Structures are given as C-alpha cells and as structure tokens.
Amino acid sequence: MIPMGILSIITIYFFFERFMIIRKASKMDHNFMNNIKDYIHNGNMDAAKALCKNTSAPAGRMIEKGISRIGKPIKEIEESMEAVGKLEINRLEKNLSVLSLIGRIAPIFGFIGTIAGVIKIFYDISLSADISIGVISGGLYQKMITSASGLAIGLIAFIGYYILNGMLDKTINKMETASMEFIDLLYGPGK
C-alpha cells in the first residue's frame, strides 16, 4: 500500500499543478488580437510587442516572435512562430505523461497486492493446516484493498490526464487561431 499512497500523492500533485498552469495559459484577453491589429496597422510595433510581453498566454509569445520578424518573408515568420508554439506546447505538456503512466501502473500495483494477498492466504493455511474463514479473511482483505486502491488511483490519474488533455487542446486551438489571425493580418489590406 505504500507505493499506492505515493502514486496517489503524485497523481494529485501533478493534476493540480498542470491544471493551474494550463488554465492560466488558456486565459487570453478577447481583444488581444484586435489590439495587435490596431497597433500594427498604426505602425506601433513597440506597443504591440509590449502587449505581447504583458500577456501570460503562450499565444502572446508566439505573436511577439512574429512581430519581431516583420519585414522578413512570411514563410520565415510562420516558421519562427511555429517553433515558439512547439516550445510552449512542450512546456504545457510537461508532466502529463506522469499521469498517463500512473493511470497504467497503479492497477498493476493493485494486482501485485492481489497476488501477495493470495500468497498470504496459502502461506497461512500451510502454517496452520486450518482452512477456516479467519485464516482466509486476512489475505482476502489485503487482496481486495490493494486491487480496489490500484484501480481507483489508476482511474483518477486516467481521468485527470484526459481532462488536462482536453484543456490543452483548447489552449492549442487558441494559439493556432491567434497565429492564423496574425498571418492573415500580414497578408491583409492595410499592410
């Protein structure tokens, strides 16, 4: 049960740590891109960069990279923004694999506990040569508790992993939308 306790603490920690980071990254002012467009159309690149720096969303860092490349070929701007986007996504995905791993190994630890419980039953029977409910119940208790714990921890980690992946997908979608709007701005009229 000690490994189960450790896995449950790790699951709770990484879920809430990633939840807070992804939630913070997904928050972006609805007028962010409108303000960027206005600044760029007015030729105020410094204000556009300052707005990006003051935005905690990863899309802000992507747009900032794009603004710093204005004047270069659009393909180069897109590539530099894509590189920043990949770095931001990697930063957001950090430790998500831990939840996936726990979701897979916690039930295995539970089954190891199940086997240990069965071994205990047969060991106790071999020592006492008594097949009474008292001898069997101790091993069955261990077997059931470890199985249930392993499955519960695995399920919680698995659900947490998919909740965070859903949040991450929405954040990535916001990043892609902002990136496309910025590239459209460079192709659009007024530039």
Side-chain angles (χ1 to χ4, degrees):
M1 289 301 291
I2 291 172
M4 297 292 197
I6 292 169
L7 290 177
S8 65
I9 290 168
I10 292 171
T11 298
I12 292 167
Y13 173 77
F14 280 124
F15 175 77
F16 284 110
E17 184 258 349
R18 285 291 99 192
F19 180 83
M20 300 304 274
I21 287 175
I22 294 171
R23 191 174 87 185
K24 181 181 175 191
S26 71
K27 290 184 180 178
M28 189 167 75
D29 182 16
H30 295 296
N31 291 320
F32 174 74
M33 283 308 297
N34 292 331
N35 292 336
I36 293 292
K37 287 176 188 177
D38 290 342
Y39 289 140
I40 290 176
H41 283 301
N42 295 330
N44 195 349
M45 299 302 169
D46 291 333
K49 285 182 184 179
L51 178 61
C52 290
K53 285 184 186 206
N54 292 331
T55 302
S56 64
R61 290 182 280 283
M62 286 176 50
I63 301 301
E64 181 182 4
K65 181 57 100 173
I67 292 169
S68 70
R69 301 275 189 205
I70 287 180
K72 300 196 183 226
I74 290 184
K75 185 71 176 162
E76 187 177 321
I77 295 171
E78 287 176 334
E79 288 172 357
S80 65
M81 289 174 63
E82 186 177 324
V84 170
K86 286 179 182 178
L87 290 172
E88 292 295 327
I89 290 168
N90 284 338
R91 185 181 65 81
L92 294 173
E93 287 178 335
K94 179 183 168 191
N95 297 328
L96 273 183
S97 60
V98 173
L99 287 177
S100 177
L101 179 65
I102 290 173
R104 294 170 192 225
I105 66 170
I108 294 171
F109 276 112
F111 294 136
I112 290 171
T114 298
I115 299 301
V118 171
I119 290 170
K120 182 181 183 315
I121 291 171
F122 284 108
Y123 179 73
D124 290 345
I125 289 172
S126 73
L127 289 179
S128 67
D130 177 24
I131 306 178
S132 69
I133 195 69
V135 172
I136 295 172
S137 64
L140 285 176
Y141 175 76
Q142 178 180 341
K143 174 183 170 191
M144 295 305 189
I145 291 294
T146 56
S147 292
S149 298
L151 290 172
I153 293 165
L155 182 63
I156 291 166
F158 195 70
I159 290 170
Y161 174 77
Y162 279 97
I163 288 171
L164 294 174
N165 262 331
M167 291 173 62
L168 185 60
D169 287 344
K170 288 178 184 175
T171 302
I172 291 170
N173 188 13
K174 287 179 182 180
M175 292 168 63
E176 289 172 347
T177 301
S179 176
M180 287 188 304
E181 285 182 35
F182 181 76
I183 295 301
D184 288 346
L185 172 66
L186 297 179
Y187 278 119
K191 177 68 186 137

PDB file of all heavy atoms in Angstrom, residues 15 19 22 96 99 155-170:
ATOM      1  N   PHE A  15      -1.760  16.617 -11.131  1.00  0.00           N
ATOM      2  CA  PHE A  15      -3.018  17.070 -11.714  1.00  0.00           C
ATOM      3  C   PHE A  15      -3.244  18.548 -11.412  1.00  0.00           C
ATOM      4  O   PHE A  15      -3.499  19.346 -12.312  1.00  0.00           O
ATOM      5  CB  PHE A  15      -4.210  16.248 -11.213  1.00  0.00           C
ATOM      6  CG  PHE A  15      -5.514  16.788 -11.727  1.00  0.00           C
ATOM      7  CD1 PHE A  15      -5.909  16.554 -13.032  1.00  0.00           C
ATOM      8  CD2 PHE A  15      -6.319  17.580 -10.921  1.00  0.00           C
ATOM      9  CE1 PHE A  15      -7.096  17.085 -13.528  1.00  0.00           C
ATOM     10  CE2 PHE A  15      -7.503  18.114 -11.403  1.00  0.00           C
ATOM     11  CZ  PHE A  15      -7.895  17.861 -12.711  1.00  0.00           C
ATOM     12  N   PHE A  19      -3.088  21.578 -13.986  1.00  0.00           N
ATOM     13  CA  PHE A  19      -4.387  22.246 -14.138  1.00  0.00           C
ATOM     14  C   PHE A  19      -4.210  23.758 -14.023  1.00  0.00           C
ATOM     15  O   PHE A  19      -4.733  24.511 -14.845  1.00  0.00           O
ATOM     16  CB  PHE A  19      -5.371  21.728 -13.083  1.00  0.00           C
ATOM     17  CG  PHE A  19      -6.733  22.356 -13.162  1.00  0.00           C
ATOM     18  CD1 PHE A  19      -7.667  21.879 -14.060  1.00  0.00           C
ATOM     19  CD2 PHE A  19      -7.080  23.421 -12.345  1.00  0.00           C
ATOM     20  CE1 PHE A  19      -8.928  22.452 -14.155  1.00  0.00           C
ATOM     21  CE2 PHE A  19      -8.330  24.006 -12.423  1.00  0.00           C
ATOM     22  CZ  PHE A  19      -9.266  23.515 -13.324  1.00  0.00           C
ATOM     23  N   ILE A  22      -2.116  25.112 -17.135  1.00  0.00           N
ATOM     24  CA  ILE A  22      -2.856  25.108 -18.398  1.00  0.00           C
ATOM     25  C   ILE A  22      -4.006  26.114 -18.339  1.00  0.00           C
ATOM     26  O   ILE A  22      -4.276  26.812 -19.315  1.00  0.00           O
ATOM     27  CB  ILE A  22      -3.353  23.686 -18.739  1.00  0.00           C
ATOM     28  CG1 ILE A  22      -2.151  22.775 -19.028  1.00  0.00           C
ATOM     29  CG2 ILE A  22      -4.298  23.712 -19.937  1.00  0.00           C
ATOM     30  CD1 ILE A  22      -2.485  21.307 -19.171  1.00  0.00           C
ATOM     31  N   LEU A  96       2.519  15.682 -17.988  1.00  0.00           N
ATOM     32  CA  LEU A  96       1.265  15.000 -18.301  1.00  0.00           C
ATOM     33  C   LEU A  96       1.499  13.503 -18.469  1.00  0.00           C
ATOM     34  O   LEU A  96       0.642  12.697 -18.117  1.00  0.00           O
ATOM     35  CB  LEU A  96       0.638  15.559 -19.578  1.00  0.00           C
ATOM     36  CG  LEU A  96      -0.266  16.760 -19.439  1.00  0.00           C
ATOM     37  CD1 LEU A  96      -0.855  17.152 -20.783  1.00  0.00           C
ATOM     38  CD2 LEU A  96      -1.360  16.529 -18.437  1.00  0.00           C
ATOM     39  N   LEU A  99       0.956  11.395 -15.337  1.00  0.00           N
ATOM     40  CA  LEU A  99      -0.417  10.968 -15.046  1.00  0.00           C
ATOM     41  C   LEU A  99      -0.813   9.770 -15.901  1.00  0.00           C
ATOM     42  O   LEU A  99      -1.464   8.844 -15.416  1.00  0.00           O
ATOM     43  CB  LEU A  99      -1.396  12.117 -15.275  1.00  0.00           C
ATOM     44  CG  LEU A  99      -1.379  13.227 -14.249  1.00  0.00           C
ATOM     45  CD1 LEU A  99      -2.348  14.328 -14.645  1.00  0.00           C
ATOM     46  CD2 LEU A  99      -1.720  12.704 -12.868  1.00  0.00           C
ATOM     47  N   LEU A 155      -7.751   5.006 -12.162  1.00  0.00           N
ATOM     48  CA  LEU A 155      -8.896   5.679 -12.762  1.00  0.00           C
ATOM     49  C   LEU A 155      -8.805   7.197 -12.573  1.00  0.00           C
ATOM     50  O   LEU A 155      -9.031   7.974 -13.513  1.00  0.00           O
ATOM     51  CB  LEU A 155     -10.198   5.151 -12.154  1.00  0.00           C
ATOM     52  CG  LEU A 155     -11.493   5.722 -12.714  1.00  0.00           C
ATOM     53  CD1 LEU A 155     -11.643   5.361 -14.186  1.00  0.00           C
ATOM     54  CD2 LEU A 155     -12.669   5.204 -11.924  1.00  0.00           C
ATOM     55  N   ILE A 156      -8.455   7.630 -11.382  1.00  0.00           N
ATOM     56  CA  ILE A 156      -8.319   9.059 -11.109  1.00  0.00           C
ATOM     57  C   ILE A 156      -7.225   9.677 -11.987  1.00  0.00           C
ATOM     58  O   ILE A 156      -7.408  10.746 -12.574  1.00  0.00           O
ATOM     59  CB  ILE A 156      -8.047   9.315  -9.617  1.00  0.00           C
ATOM     60  CG1 ILE A 156      -9.290   8.970  -8.798  1.00  0.00           C
ATOM     61  CG2 ILE A 156      -7.607  10.744  -9.361  1.00  0.00           C
ATOM     62  CD1 ILE A 156      -9.050   8.872  -7.304  1.00  0.00           C
ATOM     63  N   ALA A 157      -6.087   8.995 -12.086  1.00  0.00           N
ATOM     64  CA  ALA A 157      -4.988   9.504 -12.924  1.00  0.00           C
ATOM     65  C   ALA A 157      -5.401   9.547 -14.385  1.00  0.00           C
ATOM     66  O   ALA A 157      -5.109  10.516 -15.095  1.00  0.00           O
ATOM     67  CB  ALA A 157      -3.739   8.633 -12.743  1.00  0.00           C
ATOM     68  N   PHE A 158      -6.098   8.523 -14.831  1.00  0.00           N
ATOM     69  CA  PHE A 158      -6.543   8.433 -16.216  1.00  0.00           C
ATOM     70  C   PHE A 158      -7.531   9.553 -16.544  1.00  0.00           C
ATOM     71  O   PHE A 158      -7.402  10.238 -17.553  1.00  0.00           O
ATOM     72  CB  PHE A 158      -7.188   7.055 -16.431  1.00  0.00           C
ATOM     73  CG  PHE A 158      -7.384   6.679 -17.857  1.00  0.00           C
ATOM     74  CD1 PHE A 158      -6.305   6.391 -18.675  1.00  0.00           C
ATOM     75  CD2 PHE A 158      -8.664   6.596 -18.396  1.00  0.00           C
ATOM     76  CE1 PHE A 158      -6.491   6.025 -19.995  1.00  0.00           C
ATOM     77  CE2 PHE A 158      -8.860   6.236 -19.716  1.00  0.00           C
ATOM     78  CZ  PHE A 158      -7.773   5.947 -20.522  1.00  0.00           C
ATOM     79  N   ILE A 159      -8.507   9.769 -15.667  1.00  0.00           N
ATOM     80  CA  ILE A 159      -9.489  10.841 -15.866  1.00  0.00           C
ATOM     81  C   ILE A 159      -8.796  12.200 -15.832  1.00  0.00           C
ATOM     82  O   ILE A 159      -9.060  13.064 -16.676  1.00  0.00           O
ATOM     83  CB  ILE A 159     -10.614  10.758 -14.816  1.00  0.00           C
ATOM     84  CG1 ILE A 159     -11.485   9.531 -15.082  1.00  0.00           C
ATOM     85  CG2 ILE A 159     -11.465  12.025 -14.808  1.00  0.00           C
ATOM     86  CD1 ILE A 159     -12.468   9.217 -13.975  1.00  0.00           C
ATOM     87  N   GLY A 160      -7.888  12.402 -14.868  1.00  0.00           N
ATOM     88  CA  GLY A 160      -7.146  13.659 -14.783  1.00  0.00           C
ATOM     89  C   GLY A 160      -6.347  13.925 -16.043  1.00  0.00           C
ATOM     90  O   GLY A 160      -6.312  15.057 -16.550  1.00  0.00           O
ATOM     91  N   TYR A 161      -5.715  12.891 -16.557  1.00  0.00           N
ATOM     92  CA  TYR A 161      -4.927  13.012 -17.783  1.00  0.00           C
ATOM     93  C   TYR A 161      -5.792  13.496 -18.940  1.00  0.00           C
ATOM     94  O   TYR A 161      -5.416  14.402 -19.686  1.00  0.00           O
ATOM     95  CB  TYR A 161      -4.281  11.664 -18.107  1.00  0.00           C
ATOM     96  CG  TYR A 161      -3.546  11.614 -19.421  1.00  0.00           C
ATOM     97  CD1 TYR A 161      -2.290  12.190 -19.558  1.00  0.00           C
ATOM     98  CD2 TYR A 161      -4.104  10.990 -20.528  1.00  0.00           C
ATOM     99  CE1 TYR A 161      -1.602  12.143 -20.762  1.00  0.00           C
ATOM    100  CE2 TYR A 161      -3.428  10.941 -21.739  1.00  0.00           C
ATOM    101  CZ  TYR A 161      -2.187  11.519 -21.853  1.00  0.00           C
ATOM    102  OH  TYR A 161      -1.515  11.475 -23.046  1.00  0.00           O
ATOM    103  N   TYR A 162      -6.979  12.917 -19.091  1.00  0.00           N
ATOM    104  CA  TYR A 162      -7.845  13.298 -20.200  1.00  0.00           C
ATOM    105  C   TYR A 162      -8.507  14.658 -19.996  1.00  0.00           C
ATOM    106  O   TYR A 162      -8.741  15.386 -20.964  1.00  0.00           O
ATOM    107  CB  TYR A 162      -8.857  12.194 -20.503  1.00  0.00           C
ATOM    108  CG  TYR A 162      -8.196  11.131 -21.343  1.00  0.00           C
ATOM    109  CD1 TYR A 162      -7.685   9.985 -20.769  1.00  0.00           C
ATOM    110  CD2 TYR A 162      -8.003  11.317 -22.707  1.00  0.00           C
ATOM    111  CE1 TYR A 162      -7.026   9.039 -21.526  1.00  0.00           C
ATOM    112  CE2 TYR A 162      -7.344  10.383 -23.471  1.00  0.00           C
ATOM    113  CZ  TYR A 162      -6.865   9.239 -22.881  1.00  0.00           C
ATOM    114  OH  TYR A 162      -6.202   8.318 -23.638  1.00  0.00           O
ATOM    115  N   ILE A 163      -8.777  15.032 -18.783  1.00  0.00           N
ATOM    116  CA  ILE A 163      -9.284  16.383 -18.513  1.00  0.00           C
ATOM    117  C   ILE A 163      -8.225  17.408 -18.922  1.00  0.00           C
ATOM    118  O   ILE A 163      -8.518  18.387 -19.612  1.00  0.00           O
ATOM    119  CB  ILE A 163      -9.662  16.553 -17.029  1.00  0.00           C
ATOM    120  CG1 ILE A 163     -10.935  15.779 -16.713  1.00  0.00           C
ATOM    121  CG2 ILE A 163      -9.818  18.026 -16.661  1.00  0.00           C
ATOM    122  CD1 ILE A 163     -11.268  15.697 -15.233  1.00  0.00           C
ATOM    123  N   LEU A 164      -6.998  17.172 -18.504  1.00  0.00           N
ATOM    124  CA  LEU A 164      -5.913  18.103 -18.837  1.00  0.00           C
ATOM    125  C   LEU A 164      -5.627  18.127 -20.334  1.00  0.00           C
ATOM    126  O   LEU A 164      -5.338  19.186 -20.900  1.00  0.00           O
ATOM    127  CB  LEU A 164      -4.654  17.747 -18.053  1.00  0.00           C
ATOM    128  CG  LEU A 164      -4.767  17.938 -16.538  1.00  0.00           C
ATOM    129  CD1 LEU A 164      -3.510  17.424 -15.845  1.00  0.00           C
ATOM    130  CD2 LEU A 164      -5.020  19.383 -16.183  1.00  0.00           C
ATOM    131  N   ASN A 165      -5.721  16.979 -20.987  1.00  0.00           N
ATOM    132  CA  ASN A 165      -5.520  16.949 -22.436  1.00  0.00           C
ATOM    133  C   ASN A 165      -6.598  17.752 -23.152  1.00  0.00           C
ATOM    134  O   ASN A 165      -6.314  18.434 -24.140  1.00  0.00           O
ATOM    135  CB  ASN A 165      -5.507  15.512 -22.963  1.00  0.00           C
ATOM    136  CG  ASN A 165      -4.112  14.989 -23.139  1.00  0.00           C
ATOM    137  OD1 ASN A 165      -3.189  15.739 -23.401  1.00  0.00           O
ATOM    138  ND2 ASN A 165      -3.957  13.693 -22.999  1.00  0.00           N
ATOM    139  N   GLY A 166      -7.840  17.672 -22.670  1.00  0.00           N
ATOM    140  CA  GLY A 166      -8.914  18.464 -23.254  1.00  0.00           C
ATOM    141  C   GLY A 166      -8.658  19.954 -23.092  1.00  0.00           C
ATOM    142  O   GLY A 166      -8.849  20.738 -24.028  1.00  0.00           O
ATOM    143  N   MET A 167      -8.218  20.343 -21.900  1.00  0.00           N
ATOM    144  CA  MET A 167      -7.881  21.752 -21.660  1.00  0.00           C
ATOM    145  C   MET A 167      -6.721  22.186 -22.554  1.00  0.00           C
ATOM    146  O   MET A 167      -6.725  23.293 -23.101  1.00  0.00           O
ATOM    147  CB  MET A 167      -7.511  21.958 -20.190  1.00  0.00           C
ATOM    148  CG  MET A 167      -8.657  21.821 -19.225  1.00  0.00           C
ATOM    149  SD  MET A 167      -8.119  21.869 -17.493  1.00  0.00           S
ATOM    150  CE  MET A 167      -7.407  23.510 -17.373  1.00  0.00           C
ATOM    151  N   LEU A 168      -5.729  21.313 -22.687  1.00  0.00           N
ATOM    152  CA  LEU A 168      -4.563  21.616 -23.517  1.00  0.00           C
ATOM    153  C   LEU A 168      -4.965  21.778 -24.984  1.00  0.00           C
ATOM    154  O   LEU A 168      -4.485  22.685 -25.670  1.00  0.00           O
ATOM    155  CB  LEU A 168      -3.515  20.517 -23.360  1.00  0.00           C
ATOM    156  CG  LEU A 168      -2.188  20.727 -24.047  1.00  0.00           C
ATOM    157  CD1 LEU A 168      -1.495  21.982 -23.536  1.00  0.00           C
ATOM    158  CD2 LEU A 168      -1.293  19.519 -23.841  1.00  0.00           C
ATOM    159  N   ASP A 169      -5.855  20.923 -25.466  1.00  0.00           N
ATOM    160  CA  ASP A 169      -6.317  21.033 -26.847  1.00  0.00           C
ATOM    161  C   ASP A 169      -6.993  22.382 -27.099  1.00  0.00           C
ATOM    162  O   ASP A 169      -6.789  23.003 -28.140  1.00  0.00           O
ATOM    163  CB  ASP A 169      -7.285  19.898 -27.192  1.00  0.00           C
ATOM    164  CG  ASP A 169      -6.591  18.560 -27.342  1.00  0.00           C
ATOM    165  OD1 ASP A 169      -5.341  18.536 -27.493  1.00  0.00           O
ATOM    166  OD2 ASP A 169      -7.287  17.522 -27.304  1.00  0.00           O
ATOM    167  N   LYS A 170      -7.793  22.840 -26.147  1.00  0.00           N
ATOM    168  CA  LYS A 170      -8.454  24.145 -26.294  1.00  0.00           C
ATOM    169  C   LYS A 170      -7.422  25.277 -26.317  1.00  0.00           C
ATOM    170  O   LYS A 170      -7.545  26.236 -27.092  1.00  0.00           O
ATOM    171  CB  LYS A 170      -9.456  24.367 -25.166  1.00  0.00           C
ATOM    172  CG  LYS A 170     -10.689  23.503 -25.285  1.00  0.00           C
ATOM    173  CD  LYS A 170     -11.634  23.711 -24.127  1.00  0.00           C
ATOM    174  CE  LYS A 170     -12.807  22.754 -24.224  1.00  0.00           C
ATOM    175  NZ  LYS A 170     -13.691  22.855 -23.061  1.00  0.00           N
TER     176      LYS A 170
END
